[in-house]
Amino acid sequence: MRTPEQIIKSAIAKYNPIKVLLLFSGGHDSMVNSHVCAKILDKIKIKYAVYHGDTTIGIPETQNYVKEVCTQFNWPLFIRKPTQLNYEDIVKKWGFPGPTSRSHQICYRFLKERALRKFVTYECKTAPKKRENVLLLTGIRKQESRIRMGYIDEAQKEGSRVWSNPIFWWSTEKCEQYMDKHQLPRNPVKDKICISGECLCGAFADHGEYMEIKESYPHVAQRIDELHEMAKENGHPWHWSSGPTEWYKNNPPGQLNMFMCVGCETKREEQDD
């Protein structure tokens, strides 16, 4: 189990990156990771910047937290939005994402991955098509890796992007202890509703999460409700966090209101029971 400093130095030695980015979502793991990495990079005199993805469906207070933290520690910050479809576009086109891997992948690609890829390719490199590596330092930990998108090791290269996780071996308890020891600012969104709040795409969410959002951040719940009305107008009537599968199970495509055959339907249901 290597230390964060060993992981960072190893990635720099192996990939010789032209730029180093701290990926700061607003969660506490990414807060700890950013602080740990900044101290190490300052020590070895490597320049870096912070990258935050604006998913267009996050809780605004989380992005404000990211900005305040970067100002406090004097970290250069870049915030980038989706380059093609934002969350509203996705909801218009397909409805709210459901609890399936495919729905989650669509949201990931359009709301996060493509914006970061464009930033790495056109803003980090000396020339867009040059074979130059950019080191991305994330707060992913092994303890959580099973719920992250295929991240199962300390480092992973994907084209010119090198994903490295300096606190990969840290436990939740160690992260909390580090925050307390260094008196790091906490994200009020995370403390209130137990999620970082930078992405509320709804894939794998549940109704309880919506109720927590509505209670603590009613303006965000109102935005979700407005998107639901827009989705219904475009033929996608299911609610946020439910997805199309469950809705179509109860409302098959082409179903008619067969008022003159109610008896037949009732009889069939009784036979099935």
Side-chain angles (χ1 to χ4, degrees):
M1 294 186 185
R2 298 192 297 174
T3 66
E5 185 166 350
Q6 289 171 330
I7 292 172
I8 290 173
K9 285 182 174 179
S10 173
I12 290 173
K14 184 175 181 179
Y15 297 107
N16 189 30
I18 60 165
K19 196 171 186 70
V20 179
L21 297 177
L22 314 181
L23 301 194
F24 188 12
S25 67
H28 289 161
D29 283 355
S30 65
M31 172 71 257
V32 169
N33 182 71
S34 296
H35 191 265
V36 168
C37 292
K39 287 177 62 180
I40 294 168
L41 293 168
D42 286 339
K43 176 183 172 183
I44 60 177
K45 295 180 168 45
I46 298 288
K47 291 184 178 180
Y48 56 89
V50 172
Y51 178 90
H52 176 78
D54 182 344
T55 63
T56 68
I57 188 58
I59 296 176
E61 286 79 355
T62 289
Q63 193 170 117
N64 292 338
Y65 164 75
V66 169
K67 292 176 181 177
E68 290 166 3
V69 167
C70 290
T71 298
Q72 177 180 336
F73 292 108
N74 199 29
W75 296 338
L77 171 64
F78 294 91
I79 298 177
R80 294 295 180 267
K81 292 186 176 183
T83 57
Q84 292 175 297
L85 300 181
N86 61 28
Y87 189 69
E88 183 174 316
D89 297 328
I90 288 174
V91 172
K92 275 184 182 177
K93 190 169 185 177
W94 294 297
F96 284 126
T100 65
S101 294
R102 186 174 184 278
S103 293
H104 193 204
Q105 287 168 5
I106 288 172
C107 284
Y108 177 77
R109 288 195 189 104
F110 284 113
L111 302 183
K112 295 184 178 182
E113 195 271 342
R114 292 185 181 182
L116 176 62
R117 180 189 296 178
K118 183 178 179 182
F119 180 77
V120 166
T121 302
Y122 293 99
E123 297 188 59
C124 294
K125 295 184 175 185
T126 56
K129 293 188 179 180
K130 269 192 123 175
R131 294 176 180 267
E132 297 172 316
N133 293 323
V134 175
L135 180 60
L136 310 173
L137 300 177
T138 82
I140 295 173
R141 296 182 291 110
K142 181 175 177 60
Q143 201 174 74
E144 286 192 329
S145 62
R146 67 183 182 82
I147 61 172
R148 301 299 184 104
M149 297 191 68
Y151 209 114
I152 57 173
D153 207 348
E154 292 175 357
Q156 194 167 308
K157 192 173 188 302
E158 183 184 33
S160 61
R161 292 170 292 176
V162 178
W163 302 82
S164 183
N165 183 26
I167 62 168
F168 189 72
W169 301 106
W170 284 26
S171 66
T172 301
E173 292 73 23
K174 185 165 184 175
C175 287
E176 286 293 330
Q177 290 167 4
Y178 186 92
M179 286 197 76
D180 291 342
K181 178 181 178 181
H182 295 276
Q183 297 183 317
L184 299 183
R186 300 182 67 86
N187 182 354
V189 176
K190 174 69 173 177
D191 284 338
K192 279 184 180 179
I193 61 175
C194 300
I195 57 174
S196 61
E198 103 282 7
C199 183
L200 300 179
C201 71
F204 301 111
D206 57 37
H207 187 65
E209 187 172 310
Y210 169 82
M211 295 308 296
E212 288 180 345
I213 293 168
K214 187 171 184 178
E215 181 177 350
S216 298
Y217 301 97
H219 55 291
V220 178
Q222 181 180 345
R223 174 60 177 154
I224 292 173
D225 293 341
E226 290 169 353
L227 288 169
H228 184 213
E229 292 304 313
M230 184 188 65
K232 288 193 291 185
E233 290 172 2
N234 285 272
H236 313 299
W238 51 89
H239 292 272
W240 183 85
S241 81
S242 61
T245 304
E246 190 64 28
W247 191 86
Y248 279 124
K249 188 190 298 183
N250 298 311
N251 302 272
Q255 180 174 328
L256 300 174
N257 290 321
M258 297 180 287
F259 298 112
M260 292 182 288
C261 288
V262 172
C264 298
E265 292 289 319
T266 304
K267 184 177 181 181
R268 176 66 188 207
E269 289 170 3
E270 289 173 349
Q271 289 174 345
D272 290 342
D273 292 341

